[in-house]
Amino acid sequence: MSKIALVTGANQGLGYAMVARLCQELPPGSTVYLGARDPERGEAAVARLREQGLQPSLARLDVTDDASVQALAETVARRHGGIDIVLSNAAARIGKDLPQAVQVRTFIDTNNHGTYRMIRAFGHLLRDGGRFLVVASSFGSLSKLDSRLHHRFDPATRSLEDIERVMDEYVELVERGEAELHHWPAWINIPSKVAQVASMKIYARQRQAEATERGLTIAALCPGLVDTDASRPWFDDMSSAQSPADAAKNVLWICTEPAESARVVHGELVQHRRVIPWL
């Protein structure tokens, strides 16, 4: 049976590689949307893939814009009646050349509020056996945070909206230079990843009964170290880094495995087919 898939942030790097692999691996007649904020870059990426004999479809999508996300969700619903695979991969970069206080608002709006927008717009469109996956990081383990912050990300008691509020408060603390006084780590990537994983755990819990009945899988993925422009500034030794194509192969198994096999990672953070402990 043909599938409908969407990868956000897909005009380069891992997202681009995931689109390529989905085009290769999904059944004939499937539609793979390459989500891109910049239409020119998106069109160029689609053209490169078509030169390789692949047939992705361009989807203009800015995950920081409510209207953009909702418009694409409505288009997918109208064209296909639902979706089988959502890979929420769009992420803002952070650089070493600017203070994190200058970068944090856009970073959180893209990575965290963007994840929330995607859940709200596309989650209810999942077909039976559907996968909703966010590309996060092993930094998203709660063990990376001071224990005094753990209760703010408790998947058993918090809502998606609670996580949104926590991250808005966090942005304000970073911008005021007060985050570390409130026990937050110095690097803004860690709280962002923890919040992403917490959101997926909460969403998985909220849909647990339905997921069991309909074969849904909701999870967070860590691709491991990938050799991309976003990663290079932060890691001195990239000798062990995977290519985007290799990393895509490692994460997309969840999309192609039978529902019974994929269900074991529902609500988890997964790297190389292994669950990373939350705490």
Side-chain angles (χ1 to χ4, degrees), residues 99-119:
Q100 292 189 74
V102 176
Q103 303 177 74
V104 66
R105 187 168 294 273
T106 298
F107 189 69
I108 297 301
D109 191 26
T110 305
N111 299 11
N112 299 100
H113 300 332
T115 297
Y116 177 76
R117 293 182 185 101
M118 290 297 296
I119 289 172

Side-chain angles (χ1 to χ4, degrees), residues 8 15 17 46 70 79 97 112 116 135 148 167 186 189 199 238 252:
T8 71
V46 167
Q70 189 58 43
R79 289 178 180 171
D97 55 336
N112 299 100
Y116 177 76
V135 178
R148 288 169 287 191
M167 298 316 290
N189 193 41
S199 291
M238 296 291 288
L252 288 183

Side-chain angles (χ1 to χ4, degrees), residues 11 26 97 104 112 124 163 210 241:
N11 61 276
L26 292 183
D97 55 336
V104 66
N112 299 100
H124 70 282
I163 304 302
E210 183 186 7

Side-chain angles (χ1 to χ4, degrees), residues 200-274:
M200 296 308 288
K201 285 181 170 290
I202 291 165
Y203 191 48
R205 168 181 58 81
Q206 291 175 342
R207 298 191 68 174
Q208 179 64 60
E210 183 186 7
T212 300
E213 179 181 349
R214 297 179 53 213
L216 305 180
T217 299
I218 298 165
L221 306 175
C222 172
L225 183 59
V226 185
D227 188 4
T228 64
D229 291 340
S231 298
R232 290 185 200 111
W234 295 99
F235 299 94
D236 295 329
D237 182 6
M238 296 291 288
S239 61
S240 63
Q242 308 162 91
S243 69
D246 286 339
K249 180 179 180 180
N250 284 333
V251 301
L252 288 183
W253 66 273
I254 299 178
C255 299
T256 55
E257 286 285 311
E260 296 76 15
S261 301
R263 191 179 302 146
V264 297
V265 300
H266 182 78
E268 303 288 358
L269 170 61
V270 186
Q271 182 184 39
H272 305 318
R273 301 196 180 211
R274 296 182 179 180

Side-chain angles (χ1 to χ4, degrees), residues 76-196:
V76 169
R78 184 174 63 254
R79 289 178 180 171
H80 309 289
I83 195 164
D84 300 287
I85 299 168
V86 178
L87 279 158
S88 185
N89 170 72
R93 296 182 186 180
I94 45 176
K96 292 184 174 181
D97 55 336
L98 290 173
Q100 292 189 74
V102 176
Q103 303 177 74
V104 66
R105 187 168 294 273
T106 298
F107 189 69
I108 297 301
D109 191 26
T110 305
N111 299 11
N112 299 100
H113 300 332
T115 297
Y116 177 76
R117 293 182 185 101
M118 290 297 296
I119 289 172
R120 286 306 183 205
F122 285 90
H124 70 282
L125 296 180
L126 285 178
R127 294 171 167 171
D128 289 356
R131 315 286 201 265
F132 196 112
L133 309 168
V134 64
V135 178
S137 164
S138 58
F139 290 119
S141 171
L142 198 62
S143 61
K144 305 296 184 183
L145 285 185
D146 189 295
S147 61
R148 288 169 287 191
L149 296 169
H150 288 187
H151 69 284
R152 309 197 73 180
F153 298 96
D154 180 11
T157 60
R158 299 296 177 175
S159 67
L160 291 170
E161 291 72 25
D162 289 334
I163 304 302
E164 293 291 283
R165 284 190 288 270
V166 168
M167 298 316 290
D168 282 336
E169 294 169 8
Y170 170 69
V171 167
E172 293 180 2
L173 288 173
V174 173
E175 290 180 335
R176 294 200 303 264
E178 300 174 2
E180 292 184 63
L181 296 176
H182 290 78
H183 319 301
W184 293 99
W187 193 26
I188 61 176
N189 193 41
I190 292 176
S192 176
K193 296 306 182 188
V194 170
Q196 273 189 311

